[in-house]
Amino acid sequence: MKTTTTTMNAHQLELLDEWRTELSIRCKNGINFIFAATLIWAGIAVIWNSEISINHQSILTFSISGLMLPLAWVFGKLMKTAWNVEGNPLNKVGLIFNLAQFFYFPFLFILLGNRPEYFALGYAIITGAHFFPYAWYYKTNWFGVFAGLIPFGSYILSIYFPEMIALIPTFVSGCLGILGLGLVRDYRLKIGQKSKGVIL
């Protein structure tokens, strides 16, 4: 009886890994969203380099994020990434992971109303930290690494360069660009391994 249970669990884990690998390959690790975010954070860096008030910089930072889905759609078309993988039981889990970050938005509203000079930092922390579950979802450590690097790197920049807020979105944009390239490499490695019949 114990042997059967162990075998079933091993089979279930194998299926789970297959579903994750399929999502990683078909969705190309979500690189369309990452490169879209890279452009958006570059735009945020421009905003924080401008001479408008900090309140307006914060509002524009929040507003420019509305371009995420249109840009991700464009990049998805160019890079031929799948938005949905029909028949994959984990298909909608990624959306749930993404929606989770909206529960942190009240924190951003508090910063906007009381400490707008920390708005870019708060947004950077939320952006980076919400990547962590995707390390499991797409079976790649790249998301896990940058889920830590972006928040803590942004925090360190805020300590040592408090008067240079624009460094934070510039740093985030650079990190996202590197993350995107890393995810492309991960995708290509998985394609190569799959073509050779290697179990991922």
Side-chain angles (χ1 to χ4, degrees), residues 98-125:
N98 198 41
L99 290 176
Q101 69 178 313
F102 289 108
F103 290 100
Y104 296 100
F105 275 27
F107 171 65
L108 290 178
F109 296 144
I110 292 172
L111 291 178
L112 184 61
N114 298 280
R115 301 300 295 269
E117 66 273 21
Y118 288 114
F119 189 86
L121 173 61
Y123 205 5
I125 291 173

Side-chain angles (χ1 to χ4, degrees), residues 134-163:
Y134 290 96
W136 175 87
Y137 187 67
Y138 288 126
K139 288 187 67 176
T140 174
N141 292 327
W142 283 97
F143 278 113
V145 170
F146 281 87
L149 180 61
I150 291 174
F152 285 105
S154 299
Y155 173 65
I156 290 171
L157 286 175
S158 72
I159 292 176
Y160 288 100
F161 304 98
E163 302 302 321

Side-chain angles (χ1 to χ4, degrees), residues 84-105:
N84 292 298
V85 181
E86 295 296 334
N88 191 310
L90 300 179
N91 188 39
K92 294 184 179 179
V93 175
L95 177 62
I96 294 172
F97 287 162
N98 198 41
L99 290 176
Q101 69 178 313
F102 289 108
F103 290 100
Y104 296 100
F105 275 27

Side-chain angles (χ1 to χ4, degrees), residues 25-92:
I25 293 174
R26 294 278 303 280
C27 299
K28 296 186 178 180
N29 289 326
I31 56 173
N32 53 323
F33 285 93
I34 299 303
F35 286 119
T38 302
L39 285 183
I40 287 173
W41 275 95
I44 293 173
V46 172
I47 290 171
W48 285 90
N49 262 313
S50 68
E51 296 182 359
I52 60 176
S53 69
I54 291 179
N55 279 322
H56 284 96
Q57 287 173 333
S58 299
I59 293 170
L60 285 174
T61 296
F62 193 76
S63 300
I64 197 175
S65 301
L67 296 174
M68 172 58 77
L69 287 179
L71 281 175
W73 183 83
V74 171
F75 277 112
K77 290 294 183 181
L78 293 174
M79 298 175 176
K80 298 179 180 178
T81 60
W83 284 65
N84 292 298
V85 181
E86 295 296 334
N88 191 310
L90 300 179
N91 188 39
K92 294 184 179 179

